[in-house]
Amino acid sequence: MPVPRPNEGTRWRCTMCGNLTRFDVTRSSRVVEYVHLDLAGESRVEEREVLSETIESVRCRWCNAVDQVELVDRPGAQV
């Protein structure tokens, strides 16, 4: 079952305990990064382009329920 992705007008809510704020999200992504290495060899990502991203699972930090999230409206969001 795919995990729904929140957008500008929605957010996640755990259907088991009602949590709205704390989740562990496991995702796979394919990215292109522009990495700048200084002369000492320290690296810093200066640009990042996400080519694709998939949410594999969402675990509630309050009750440990896995993939038990629903989308609800954000406060003040235009419906």
Side-chain angles (χ1 to χ4, degrees):
M1 175 174 98
V3 178
R5 182 183 302 269
N7 60 33
E8 308 82 39
T10 61
R11 63 182 179 173
W12 282 324
R13 178 184 175 279
C14 177
T15 60
M16 303 297 284
C17 70
N19 171 30
L20 292 166
T21 60
R22 303 285 190 267
F23 300 96
D24 288 318
V25 179
T26 303
R27 69 179 86 221
S28 295
S29 56
R30 194 166 158 256
V31 300
V32 174
E33 294 178 333
Y34 169 61
V35 178
H36 180 186
L37 297 157
D38 64 18
L39 294 177
E42 296 293 322
S43 66
R44 183 177 65 227
V45 175
E46 293 190 356
E47 294 175 15
R48 184 172 195 252
E49 178 186 358
V50 177
L51 302 176
S52 65
E53 186 172 66
T54 303
I55 296 175
E56 295 178 11
S57 69
V58 177
R59 183 177 62 85
C60 176
R61 272 287 178 113
W62 288 2
C63 72
N64 283 323
V66 177
D67 296 343
Q68 297 296 316
V69 293
E70 64 181 350
L71 292 178
V72 295
D73 292 335
R74 289 183 194 226
Q78 302 296 329
V79 180

